[in-house]
Amino acid sequence: MSKERAEKDTVAYKVEGGIAWVRFNRPEKRNCMSPKLNRQMMRVLDELEFDDAAGVLVLTGEGDAWSAGMDLKEYFRETEAKGMGAIRQSQREAYGWWRRLRWYQKPTIAMVNGWCFGGGYGPLYACDIAVAAEEATFGLSEINWGILPGGGATKVASDLMPMRKAMYHAMLGENIDGRTAEAWGLVTEAVPLSGLRNRVAEIAARLLEKNPVALKATKDAVRRVMDMTYDNAEDFLVRAQEAANSFDNEGRKEGIRQFIDDKSYKPGLAAYDKTKQKK
Ligand code: ACO
């Protein structure tokens, strides 16, 4: 594609069977993130967040890349040429949608189908679950072109990987495959590329069975408690459940009823049938 892609075409999505499949859509540029893509992604996230047809959001890439990180030409060189105001605006646009995704209303899954570099670690971390192709390639390539891994990438590596692995990964700029990314804690699991979509669809289907209020409370709680003391976390979790009860006070009662009274399921083995829950 020689003609420049219109802003609205930099992200593609479709909603199918309760799953919003959202794709970085600049395959000819290995889905690197330009200011246009960052703005469009925020619009798409806005559109889907409270769409009842979508219960889970999957973020993947068109073609053979997930995302080759920030666009070195459009995000860095061209923005820098416009001065500090433009630089800060571009940073806000990128960090803004990653932050939005970290606290998204719905469960999110990164389906990493190929290249994932540098700035790509921001949205990767933002997704609740990350499933990679074993054949995918991950790298903090910043050091290879002369910068530190910024935009959160160093934080992602240090939060998710053991320190020795994070340090090596950031300093050497050597790539790792999906299996190593799983072993180092960067992704939840790695599967062969041929089975990637099915595995993600399977996880999404399991999530769709769960109580959505409990899921949102749970995903936020996992991120929030990470930097709390035990006592603060204990207190926060009591308040978080009480707050969740104000959105849905019947779910957990129904969950107990179906187990204790109906004996129709076992919470240790599956989720209760939320279709029978009083609204
Ligand atoms: N920024 C700008 N353009 C990019 C980027 C990027 N991050 N990644 C790929 N492209 C462009 C290429 O310039 C090329 O454009 P052209 O067709 O106009 O020449 C096109 O996408 C295809 O890229 P190729 O390099 O030809 O694709 P190939 O499949 O051979 O290699 C690879 C893929 C390894 C991902 C390579 O493109 C690459 O190294 N990209 C840069 C990865 C990177 O370091 N990203 C920055 C991380 S640091 C950060 O995000 C802050």
Side-chain angles (χ1 to χ4, degrees):
M1 182 165 179
S2 52
K3 217 167 108 272
E4 206 177 309
R5 204 172 265 276
E7 186 160 320
K8 68 175 180 30
D9 297 329
T10 56
V11 177
Y13 73 91
K14 68 169 179 251
V15 180
E16 237 173 37
I19 307 170
W21 299 91
V22 178
R23 305 191 305 282
F24 293 107
N25 194 36
R26 300 179 74 209
E28 69 284 355
K29 297 287 180 187
R30 305 302 178 262
N31 297 326
C32 64
M33 289 175 273
S34 60
K36 284 181 185 168
L37 183 146
N38 291 329
R39 287 192 291 270
Q40 185 59 20
M41 191 63 88
M42 184 64 113
R43 282 186 205 109
V44 168
L45 293 182
D46 267 341
E47 218 162 291
L48 291 169
E49 189 160 24
F50 295 97
D51 179 345
D52 290 339
V56 174
L57 184 142
V58 174
L59 181 59
T60 190
E62 185 65 36
D64 61 5
W66 194 69
S67 172
M70 307 320 291
D71 187 318
L72 268 52
K73 177 169 167 279
E74 295 183 34
Y75 180 85
F76 285 106
R77 192 166 65 188
E78 291 176 3
T79 303
E80 280 164 18
K82 293 180 194 155
M84 191 52 85
I87 293 171
R88 290 288 180 258
Q89 183 182 334
S90 284
Q91 289 166 336
R92 279 196 302 274
E93 287 166 353
Y95 304 168
W97 78 261
W98 304 345
R99 187 179 311 114
R100 183 71 178 278
L101 198 58
R102 282 200 300 282
W103 303 105
Y104 208 58
Q105 185 67 28
K106 299 181 174 159
T108 54
I109 307 174
M111 180 170 109
V112 186
N113 52 305
W115 305 111
C116 177
F117 285 107
Y121 284 29
L124 177 70
Y125 178 75
C127 289
D128 305 321
I129 292 168
V131 185
E134 290 174 354
E135 298 90 331
T137 301
F138 295 81
L140 287 181
S141 54
E142 285 87 340
I143 198 70
N144 293 338
W145 63 278
I147 68 164
L148 65 76
T154 296
K155 174 72 175 152
V156 174
S158 336
D159 270 9
L160 297 183
M161 297 176 178
M163 182 269 193
R164 289 292 175 210
K165 300 297 187 196
M167 190 68 88
Y168 187 92
H169 195 55
M171 290 182 71
L172 273 292
E174 285 175 9
N175 296 332
I176 56 174
D177 65 10
R179 281 189 193 190
T180 306
E182 177 187 340
W184 289 6
L186 193 55
V187 298
T188 315
E189 66 180 71
V191 298
L193 180 61
S194 57
L196 181 64
R197 194 182 162 93
N198 280 350
R199 178 61 186 138
V200 168
E202 189 177 82
I203 296 171
R206 301 291 294 277
L207 289 168
L208 287 171
E209 292 167 2
K210 315 281 186 210
N211 178 316
V213 172
L215 274 178
K216 168 66 172 151
T218 300
K219 57 181 261 176
D220 287 2
V222 170
R223 288 188 194 270
R224 291 284 181 212
V225 300
M226 274 164 55
D227 52 11
M228 286 184 195
T229 61
Y230 191 97
D231 282 345
N232 285 347
E234 192 179 69
D235 188 55
F236 167 80
L237 293 169
V238 169
R239 313 291 152 211
Q241 182 57 55
E242 288 168 359
N245 293 348
S246 70
F247 287 100
D248 174 14
N249 204 21
E250 295 306 317
R252 70 211 155 89
K253 293 183 190 166
E254 181 63 19
I256 295 175
R257 195 187 66 73
Q258 289 181 20
F259 177 49
I260 299 295
D261 303 333
D262 293 359
K263 299 199 182 301
S264 56
Y265 85 112
K266 294 177 193 293
L269 304 178
Y272 75 92
D273 181 354
K274 66 179 172 148
T275 63
K276 294 191 177 141
Q277 185 179 320
K278 275 190 281 172
K279 295 285 171 222

mmCIF file of all heavy atoms in Angstrom, residues 88-128:
data_model
loop_
_atom_site.group_PDB
_atom_site.id
_atom_site.type_symbol
_atom_site.label_atom_id
_atom_site.label_comp_id
_atom_site.label_asym_id
_atom_site.label_seq_id
_atom_site.Cartn_x
_atom_site.Cartn_y
_atom_site.Cartn_z
ATOM 1 N N ARG A 88 4.388 16.336 23.510
ATOM 2 C CA ARG A 88 3.547 16.023 24.678
ATOM 3 C C ARG A 88 2.161 15.535 24.242
ATOM 4 O O ARG A 88 1.597 14.630 24.839
ATOM 5 C CB ARG A 88 3.426 17.249 25.597
ATOM 6 C CG ARG A 88 4.726 17.589 26.328
ATOM 7 C CD ARG A 88 5.047 16.559 27.429
ATOM 8 N NE ARG A 88 6.279 16.913 28.109
ATOM 9 C CZ ARG A 88 7.460 16.329 27.885
ATOM 10 N NH1 ARG A 88 7.564 15.329 27.027
ATOM 11 N NH2 ARG A 88 8.534 16.725 28.539
ATOM 12 N N GLN A 89 1.642 16.148 23.186
ATOM 13 C CA GLN A 89 0.321 15.717 22.714
ATOM 14 C C GLN A 89 0.370 14.263 22.233
ATOM 15 O O GLN A 89 -0.497 13.445 22.565
ATOM 16 C CB GLN A 89 -0.169 16.626 21.584
ATOM 17 C CG GLN A 89 -1.583 16.225 21.144
ATOM 18 C CD GLN A 89 -2.109 17.048 19.993
ATOM 19 O OE1 GLN A 89 -1.692 18.188 19.790
ATOM 20 N NE2 GLN A 89 -3.017 16.467 19.239
ATOM 21 N N SER A 90 1.413 13.920 21.476
ATOM 22 C CA SER A 90 1.537 12.539 20.983
ATOM 23 C C SER A 90 1.689 11.556 22.133
ATOM 24 O O SER A 90 1.158 10.446 22.086
ATOM 25 C CB SER A 90 2.759 12.401 20.082
ATOM 26 O OG SER A 90 2.474 12.965 18.852
ATOM 27 N N GLN A 91 2.451 11.963 23.141
ATOM 28 C CA GLN A 91 2.607 11.081 24.307
ATOM 29 C C GLN A 91 1.253 10.886 24.992
ATOM 30 O O GLN A 91 0.874 9.765 25.338
ATOM 31 C CB GLN A 91 3.631 11.656 25.299
ATOM 32 C CG GLN A 91 5.055 11.574 24.770
ATOM 33 C CD GLN A 91 6.047 12.420 25.563
ATOM 34 O OE1 GLN A 91 5.669 13.393 26.221
ATOM 35 N NE2 GLN A 91 7.318 12.061 25.479
ATOM 36 N N ARG A 92 0.509 11.982 25.176
ATOM 37 C CA ARG A 92 -0.814 11.871 25.825
ATOM 38 C C ARG A 92 -1.719 10.932 25.049
ATOM 39 O O ARG A 92 -2.442 10.119 25.621
ATOM 40 C CB ARG A 92 -1.480 13.248 25.920
ATOM 41 C CG ARG A 92 -1.008 14.104 27.072
ATOM 42 C CD ARG A 92 -1.973 15.259 27.331
ATOM 43 N NE ARG A 92 -2.171 16.124 26.170
ATOM 44 C CZ ARG A 92 -1.382 17.169 25.845
ATOM 45 N NH1 ARG A 92 -0.347 17.474 26.601
ATOM 46 N NH2 ARG A 92 -1.625 17.900 24.780
ATOM 47 N N GLU A 93 -1.671 11.038 23.703
ATOM 48 C CA GLU A 93 -2.564 10.203 22.890
ATOM 49 C C GLU A 93 -2.211 8.723 23.027
ATOM 50 O O GLU A 93 -3.086 7.873 23.108
ATOM 51 C CB GLU A 93 -2.468 10.623 21.420
ATOM 52 C CG GLU A 93 -3.150 11.950 21.143
ATOM 53 C CD GLU A 93 -2.792 12.549 19.793
ATOM 54 O OE1 GLU A 93 -1.885 12.001 19.098
ATOM 55 O OE2 GLU A 93 -3.400 13.566 19.433
ATOM 56 N N ALA A 94 -0.917 8.415 23.056
ATOM 57 C CA ALA A 94 -0.506 7.010 23.181
ATOM 58 C C ALA A 94 -0.774 6.503 24.596
ATOM 59 O O ALA A 94 -1.487 5.515 24.792
ATOM 60 C CB ALA A 94 0.982 6.867 22.842
ATOM 61 N N TYR A 95 -0.211 7.200 25.579
ATOM 62 C CA TYR A 95 -0.353 6.735 26.971
ATOM 63 C C TYR A 95 -1.827 6.729 27.375
ATOM 64 O O TYR A 95 -2.249 5.924 28.196
ATOM 65 C CB TYR A 95 0.433 7.625 27.948
ATOM 66 C CG TYR A 95 1.919 7.783 27.658
ATOM 67 C CD1 TYR A 95 2.668 8.758 28.316
ATOM 68 C CD2 TYR A 95 2.573 6.978 26.730
ATOM 69 C CE1 TYR A 95 4.030 8.924 28.069
ATOM 70 C CE2 TYR A 95 3.929 7.150 26.472
ATOM 71 C CZ TYR A 95 4.653 8.121 27.132
ATOM 72 O OH TYR A 95 5.989 8.288 26.874
ATOM 73 N N GLY A 96 -2.589 7.651 26.772
ATOM 74 C CA GLY A 96 -4.010 7.773 27.131
ATOM 75 C C GLY A 96 -4.782 6.507 26.826
ATOM 76 O O GLY A 96 -5.530 6.013 27.664
ATOM 77 N N TRP A 97 -4.593 5.947 25.622
ATOM 78 C CA TRP A 97 -5.399 4.753 25.320
ATOM 79 C C TRP A 97 -4.848 3.528 26.034
ATOM 80 O O TRP A 97 -5.610 2.629 26.369
ATOM 81 C CB TRP A 97 -5.629 4.556 23.822
ATOM 82 C CG TRP A 97 -4.532 3.992 22.950
ATOM 83 C CD1 TRP A 97 -3.682 4.682 22.153
ATOM 84 C CD2 TRP A 97 -4.235 2.595 22.720
ATOM 85 N NE1 TRP A 97 -2.857 3.823 21.456
ATOM 86 C CE2 TRP A 97 -3.173 2.533 21.776
ATOM 87 C CE3 TRP A 97 -4.744 1.392 23.201
ATOM 88 C CZ2 TRP A 97 -2.622 1.335 21.326
ATOM 89 C CZ3 TRP A 97 -4.193 0.186 22.750
ATOM 90 C CH2 TRP A 97 -3.148 0.170 21.833
ATOM 91 N N TRP A 98 -3.543 3.499 26.351
ATOM 92 C CA TRP A 98 -3.019 2.358 27.115
ATOM 93 C C TRP A 98 -3.607 2.379 28.531
ATOM 94 O O TRP A 98 -3.963 1.346 29.080
ATOM 95 C CB TRP A 98 -1.487 2.400 27.206
ATOM 96 C CG TRP A 98 -0.788 2.449 25.870
ATOM 97 C CD1 TRP A 98 -1.329 2.183 24.637
ATOM 98 C CD2 TRP A 98 0.586 2.795 25.635
ATOM 99 N NE1 TRP A 98 -0.383 2.343 23.663
ATOM 100 C CE2 TRP A 98 0.796 2.719 24.239
ATOM 101 C CE3 TRP A 98 1.640 3.162 26.464
ATOM 102 C CZ2 TRP A 98 2.040 2.984 23.660
ATOM 103 C CZ3 TRP A 98 2.878 3.430 25.883
ATOM 104 C CH2 TRP A 98 3.070 3.352 24.497
ATOM 105 N N ARG A 99 -3.660 3.596 29.104
ATOM 106 C CA ARG A 99 -4.225 3.718 30.460
ATOM 107 C C ARG A 99 -5.703 3.334 30.442
ATOM 108 O O ARG A 99 -6.184 2.611 31.302
ATOM 109 C CB ARG A 99 -4.067 5.152 30.966
ATOM 110 C CG ARG A 99 -4.467 5.330 32.427
ATOM 111 C CD ARG A 99 -4.280 6.759 32.914
ATOM 112 N NE ARG A 99 -2.974 7.309 32.577
ATOM 113 C CZ ARG A 99 -2.760 8.324 31.731
ATOM 114 N NH1 ARG A 99 -3.787 8.923 31.139
ATOM 115 N NH2 ARG A 99 -1.552 8.755 31.466
ATOM 116 N N ARG A 100 -6.409 3.800 29.428
ATOM 117 C CA ARG A 100 -7.833 3.479 29.279
ATOM 118 C C ARG A 100 -8.021 1.956 29.235
ATOM 119 O O ARG A 100 -8.931 1.405 29.841
ATOM 120 C CB ARG A 100 -8.330 4.118 27.984
ATOM 121 C CG ARG A 100 -9.785 3.937 27.713
ATOM 122 C CD ARG A 100 -10.596 4.770 28.680
ATOM 123 N NE ARG A 100 -11.989 4.636 28.376
ATOM 124 C CZ ARG A 100 -12.587 5.338 27.420
ATOM 125 N NH1 ARG A 100 -11.935 6.251 26.746
ATOM 126 N NH2 ARG A 100 -13.865 5.139 27.192
ATOM 127 N N LEU A 101 -7.120 1.303 28.503
ATOM 128 C CA LEU A 101 -7.205 -0.154 28.368
ATOM 129 C C LEU A 101 -6.853 -0.858 29.684
ATOM 130 O O LEU A 101 -7.439 -1.889 30.014
ATOM 131 C CB LEU A 101 -6.251 -0.590 27.253
ATOM 132 C CG LEU A 101 -6.447 -1.968 26.641
ATOM 133 C CD1 LEU A 101 -7.842 -2.141 26.059
ATOM 134 C CD2 LEU A 101 -5.397 -2.216 25.546
ATOM 135 N N ARG A 102 -5.910 -0.310 30.433
ATOM 136 C CA ARG A 102 -5.545 -0.951 31.718
ATOM 137 C C ARG A 102 -6.735 -1.016 32.661
ATOM 138 O O ARG A 102 -6.858 -1.942 33.435
ATOM 139 C CB ARG A 102 -4.414 -0.166 32.426
ATOM 140 C CG ARG A 102 -3.043 -0.395 31.879
ATOM 141 C CD ARG A 102 -1.945 -0.016 32.870
ATOM 142 N NE ARG A 102 -1.948 1.361 33.288
ATOM 143 C CZ ARG A 102 -1.483 2.392 32.591
ATOM 144 N NH1 ARG A 102 -0.970 2.195 31.384
ATOM 145 N NH2 ARG A 102 -1.510 3.618 33.075
ATOM 146 N N TRP A 103 -7.603 -0.012 32.579
ATOM 147 C CA TRP A 103 -8.750 0.052 33.510
ATOM 148 C C TRP A 103 -10.054 -0.130 32.756
ATOM 149 O O TRP A 103 -11.084 0.384 33.168
ATOM 150 C CB TRP A 103 -8.711 1.386 34.289
ATOM 151 C CG TRP A 103 -7.413 1.535 35.012
ATOM 152 C CD1 TRP A 103 -6.365 2.340 34.683
ATOM 153 C CD2 TRP A 103 -6.976 0.806 36.179
ATOM 154 N NE1 TRP A 103 -5.323 2.165 35.556
ATOM 155 C CE2 TRP A 103 -5.674 1.241 36.483
ATOM 156 C CE3 TRP A 103 -7.575 -0.164 36.990
ATOM 157 C CZ2 TRP A 103 -4.940 0.728 37.566
ATOM 158 C CZ3 TRP A 103 -6.857 -0.670 38.068
ATOM 159 C CH2 TRP A 103 -5.560 -0.225 38.346
ATOM 160 N N TYR A 104 -10.002 -0.880 31.671
ATOM 161 C CA TYR A 104 -11.169 -1.027 30.795
ATOM 162 C C TYR A 104 -12.312 -1.724 31.527
ATOM 163 O O TYR A 104 -12.095 -2.566 32.400
ATOM 164 C CB TYR A 104 -10.768 -1.847 29.561
ATOM 165 C CG TYR A 104 -11.567 -1.529 28.331
ATOM 166 C CD1 TYR A 104 -11.605 -0.242 27.819
ATOM 167 C CD2 TYR A 104 -12.274 -2.527 27.662
ATOM 168 C CE1 TYR A 104 -12.336 0.046 26.676
ATOM 169 C CE2 TYR A 104 -13.005 -2.249 26.517
ATOM 170 C CZ TYR A 104 -13.031 -0.954 26.037
ATOM 171 O OH TYR A 104 -13.751 -0.669 24.897
ATOM 172 N N GLN A 105 -13.506 -1.372 31.153
ATOM 173 C CA GLN A 105 -14.684 -1.948 31.809
ATOM 174 C C GLN A 105 -14.779 -3.464 31.587
ATOM 175 O O GLN A 105 -15.249 -4.200 32.446
ATOM 176 C CB GLN A 105 -15.930 -1.255 31.244
ATOM 177 C CG GLN A 105 -17.242 -1.645 31.899
ATOM 178 C CD GLN A 105 -17.337 -1.177 33.350
ATOM 179 O OE1 GLN A 105 -16.734 -0.188 33.735
ATOM 180 N NE2 GLN A 105 -18.077 -1.923 34.156
ATOM 181 N N LYS A 106 -14.324 -3.913 30.441
ATOM 182 C CA LYS A 106 -14.488 -5.330 30.075
ATOM 183 C C LYS A 106 -13.165 -6.070 30.155
ATOM 184 O O LYS A 106 -12.109 -5.458 30.032
ATOM 185 C CB LYS A 106 -15.027 -5.397 28.654
ATOM 186 C CG LYS A 106 -16.363 -4.714 28.629
ATOM 187 C CD LYS A 106 -17.048 -4.701 27.319
ATOM 188 C CE LYS A 106 -18.428 -4.107 27.534
ATOM 189 N NZ LYS A 106 -19.013 -3.600 26.322
ATOM 190 N N PRO A 107 -13.220 -7.378 30.329
ATOM 191 C CA PRO A 107 -11.964 -8.142 30.291
ATOM 192 C C PRO A 107 -11.297 -7.997 28.931
ATOM 193 O O PRO A 107 -11.985 -7.940 27.908
ATOM 194 C CB PRO A 107 -12.420 -9.592 30.510
ATOM 195 C CG PRO A 107 -13.845 -9.558 30.866
ATOM 196 C CD PRO A 107 -14.402 -8.224 30.510
ATOM 197 N N THR A 108 -9.981 -7.979 28.936
ATOM 198 C CA THR A 108 -9.241 -7.767 27.687
ATOM 199 C C THR A 108 -8.174 -8.854 27.520
ATOM 200 O O THR A 108 -7.557 -9.292 28.497
ATOM 201 C CB THR A 108 -8.551 -6.389 27.696
ATOM 202 O OG1 THR A 108 -7.753 -6.289 28.879
ATOM 203 C CG2 THR A 108 -9.546 -5.257 27.675
ATOM 204 N N ILE A 109 -7.969 -9.256 26.286
ATOM 205 C CA ILE A 109 -6.960 -10.283 25.978
ATOM 206 C C ILE A 109 -6.072 -9.764 24.849
ATOM 207 O O ILE A 109 -6.576 -9.374 23.788
ATOM 208 C CB ILE A 109 -7.612 -11.606 25.520
ATOM 209 C CG1 ILE A 109 -8.664 -12.087 26.529
ATOM 210 C CG2 ILE A 109 -6.549 -12.685 25.286
ATOM 211 C CD1 ILE A 109 -9.459 -13.313 26.065
ATOM 212 N N ALA A 110 -4.756 -9.763 25.076
ATOM 213 C CA ALA A 110 -3.822 -9.467 23.982
ATOM 214 C C ALA A 110 -3.580 -10.778 23.242
ATOM 215 O O ALA A 110 -3.187 -11.770 23.860
ATOM 216 C CB ALA A 110 -2.512 -8.925 24.540
ATOM 217 N N MET A 111 -3.847 -10.789 21.948
ATOM 218 C CA MET A 111 -3.580 -11.988 21.135
ATOM 219 C C MET A 111 -2.382 -11.643 20.255
ATOM 220 O O MET A 111 -2.517 -11.035 19.195
ATOM 221 C CB MET A 111 -4.815 -12.321 20.296
ATOM 222 C CG MET A 111 -4.655 -13.524 19.418
ATOM 223 S SD MET A 111 -6.251 -14.003 18.682
ATOM 224 C CE MET A 111 -5.971 -13.545 16.990
ATOM 225 N N VAL A 112 -1.189 -12.027 20.737
ATOM 226 C CA VAL A 112 0.044 -11.555 20.095
ATOM 227 C C VAL A 112 0.431 -12.521 18.969
ATOM 228 O O VAL A 112 0.959 -13.608 19.201
ATOM 229 C CB VAL A 112 1.193 -11.412 21.114
ATOM 230 C CG1 VAL A 112 2.405 -10.787 20.451
ATOM 231 C CG2 VAL A 112 0.746 -10.577 22.304
ATOM 232 N N ASN A 113 0.145 -12.068 17.757
ATOM 233 C CA ASN A 113 0.289 -12.923 16.584
ATOM 234 C C ASN A 113 1.652 -12.820 15.908
ATOM 235 O O ASN A 113 1.946 -13.614 15.013
ATOM 236 C CB ASN A 113 -0.804 -12.557 15.570
ATOM 237 C CG ASN A 113 -0.840 -11.071 15.279
ATOM 238 O OD1 ASN A 113 -0.958 -10.259 16.195
ATOM 239 N ND2 ASN A 113 -0.713 -10.693 14.030
ATOM 240 N N GLY A 114 2.479 -11.845 16.312
ATOM 241 C CA GLY A 114 3.764 -11.693 15.609
ATOM 242 C C GLY A 114 4.663 -10.699 16.321
ATOM 243 O O GLY A 114 4.731 -10.684 17.543
ATOM 244 N N TRP A 115 5.315 -9.800 15.540
ATOM 245 C CA TRP A 115 6.249 -8.829 16.115
ATOM 246 C C TRP A 115 5.618 -8.025 17.246
ATOM 247 O O TRP A 115 4.512 -7.514 17.100
ATOM 248 C CB TRP A 115 6.705 -7.825 15.053
ATOM 249 C CG TRP A 115 7.307 -8.394 13.795
ATOM 250 C CD1 TRP A 115 6.761 -8.371 12.538
ATOM 251 C CD2 TRP A 115 8.591 -9.023 13.657
ATOM 252 N NE1 TRP A 115 7.618 -8.962 11.639
ATOM 253 C CE2 TRP A 115 8.757 -9.370 12.290
ATOM 254 C CE3 TRP A 115 9.620 -9.341 14.549
ATOM 255 C CZ2 TRP A 115 9.883 -10.009 11.804
ATOM 256 C CZ3 TRP A 115 10.753 -9.981 14.058
ATOM 257 C CH2 TRP A 115 10.878 -10.309 12.711
ATOM 258 N N CYS A 116 6.350 -7.877 18.338
ATOM 259 C CA CYS A 116 5.899 -7.016 19.441
ATOM 260 C C CYS A 116 7.131 -6.321 20.018
ATOM 261 O O CYS A 116 7.960 -6.972 20.670
ATOM 262 C CB CYS A 116 5.193 -7.842 20.508
ATOM 263 S SG CYS A 116 4.684 -6.856 21.936
ATOM 264 N N PHE A 117 7.254 -5.021 19.725
ATOM 265 C CA PHE A 117 8.471 -4.293 20.125
ATOM 266 C C PHE A 117 8.154 -3.061 20.972
ATOM 267 O O PHE A 117 7.097 -2.421 20.794
ATOM 268 C CB PHE A 117 9.231 -3.807 18.883
ATOM 269 C CG PHE A 117 9.974 -4.898 18.156
ATOM 270 C CD1 PHE A 117 9.518 -5.379 16.943
ATOM 271 C CD2 PHE A 117 11.131 -5.437 18.703
ATOM 272 C CE1 PHE A 117 10.208 -6.390 16.272
ATOM 273 C CE2 PHE A 117 11.826 -6.443 18.041
ATOM 274 C CZ PHE A 117 11.358 -6.925 16.827
ATOM 275 N N GLY A 118 9.100 -2.737 21.841
ATOM 276 C CA GLY A 118 9.156 -1.446 22.521
ATOM 277 C C GLY A 118 7.827 -0.929 23.063
ATOM 278 O O GLY A 118 7.253 -1.468 24.012
ATOM 279 N N GLY A 119 7.336 0.132 22.421
ATOM 280 C CA GLY A 119 6.079 0.749 22.838
ATOM 281 C C GLY A 119 4.921 -0.239 22.859
ATOM 282 O O GLY A 119 3.930 -0.022 23.555
ATOM 283 N N GLY A 120 5.036 -1.318 22.119
ATOM 284 C CA GLY A 120 3.996 -2.355 22.116
ATOM 285 C C GLY A 120 3.809 -2.982 23.486
ATOM 286 O O GLY A 120 2.758 -3.572 23.778
ATOM 287 N N TYR A 121 4.827 -2.852 24.335
ATOM 288 C CA TYR A 121 4.700 -3.434 25.679
ATOM 289 C C TYR A 121 3.656 -2.680 26.508
ATOM 290 O O TYR A 121 3.140 -3.219 27.478
ATOM 291 C CB TYR A 121 6.058 -3.438 26.402
ATOM 292 C CG TYR A 121 7.027 -4.521 25.935
ATOM 293 C CD1 TYR A 121 7.004 -5.007 24.645
ATOM 294 C CD2 TYR A 121 7.976 -5.049 26.805
ATOM 295 C CE1 TYR A 121 7.905 -5.984 24.218
ATOM 296 C CE2 TYR A 121 8.881 -6.039 26.388
ATOM 297 C CZ TYR A 121 8.835 -6.490 25.096
ATOM 298 O OH TYR A 121 9.720 -7.463 24.678
ATOM 299 N N GLY A 122 3.365 -1.424 26.143
ATOM 300 C CA GLY A 122 2.336 -0.646 26.862
ATOM 301 C C GLY A 122 0.969 -1.299 26.738
ATOM 302 O O GLY A 122 0.360 -1.678 27.746
ATOM 303 N N PRO A 123 0.452 -1.452 25.503
ATOM 304 C CA PRO A 123 -0.842 -2.118 25.364
ATOM 305 C C PRO A 123 -0.803 -3.600 25.753
ATOM 306 O O PRO A 123 -1.813 -4.151 26.211
ATOM 307 C CB PRO A 123 -1.187 -1.956 23.880
ATOM 308 C CG PRO A 123 0.045 -1.468 23.202
ATOM 309 C CD PRO A 123 0.898 -0.818 24.245
ATOM 310 N N LEU A 124 0.360 -4.228 25.614
ATOM 311 C CA LEU A 124 0.471 -5.639 26.026
ATOM 312 C C LEU A 124 0.182 -5.756 27.530
ATOM 313 O O LEU A 124 -0.612 -6.579 27.971
ATOM 314 C CB LEU A 124 1.885 -6.145 25.726
ATOM 315 C CG LEU A 124 2.187 -7.587 26.152
ATOM 316 C CD1 LEU A 124 1.425 -8.582 25.278
ATOM 317 C CD2 LEU A 124 3.691 -7.884 26.081
ATOM 318 N N TYR A 125 0.822 -4.888 28.289
ATOM 319 C CA TYR A 125 0.644 -4.880 29.750
ATOM 320 C C TYR A 125 -0.774 -4.462 30.123
ATOM 321 O O TYR A 125 -1.336 -4.921 31.117
ATOM 322 C CB TYR A 125 1.663 -3.909 30.355
ATOM 323 C CG TYR A 125 1.595 -3.745 31.847
ATOM 324 C CD1 TYR A 125 2.079 -4.731 32.700
ATOM 325 C CD2 TYR A 125 1.071 -2.590 32.415
ATOM 326 C CE1 TYR A 125 2.041 -4.569 34.084
ATOM 327 C CE2 TYR A 125 1.022 -2.415 33.788
ATOM 328 C CZ TYR A 125 1.507 -3.412 34.623
ATOM 329 O OH TYR A 125 1.465 -3.254 35.985
ATOM 330 N N ALA A 126 -1.337 -3.570 29.299
ATOM 331 C CA ALA A 126 -2.678 -3.055 29.607
ATOM 332 C C ALA A 126 -3.731 -4.153 29.531
ATOM 333 O O ALA A 126 -4.748 -4.086 30.214
ATOM 334 C CB ALA A 126 -3.025 -1.926 28.646
ATOM 335 N N CYS A 127 -3.498 -5.159 28.687
ATOM 336 C CA CYS A 127 -4.492 -6.243 28.559
ATOM 337 C C CYS A 127 -4.399 -7.156 29.779
ATOM 338 O O CYS A 127 -3.315 -7.438 30.282
ATOM 339 C CB CYS A 127 -4.253 -7.032 27.281
ATOM 340 S SG CYS A 127 -4.680 -6.101 25.796
ATOM 341 N N ASP A 128 -5.556 -7.640 30.230
ATOM 342 C CA ASP A 128 -5.598 -8.460 31.446
ATOM 343 C C ASP A 128 -4.885 -9.798 31.238
ATOM 344 O O ASP A 128 -4.207 -10.300 32.129
ATOM 345 C CB ASP A 128 -7.060 -8.737 31.840
ATOM 346 C CG ASP A 128 -7.836 -7.439 31.986
ATOM 347 O OD1 ASP A 128 -7.260 -6.467 32.503
ATOM 348 O OD2 ASP A 128 -9.020 -7.401 31.577
#
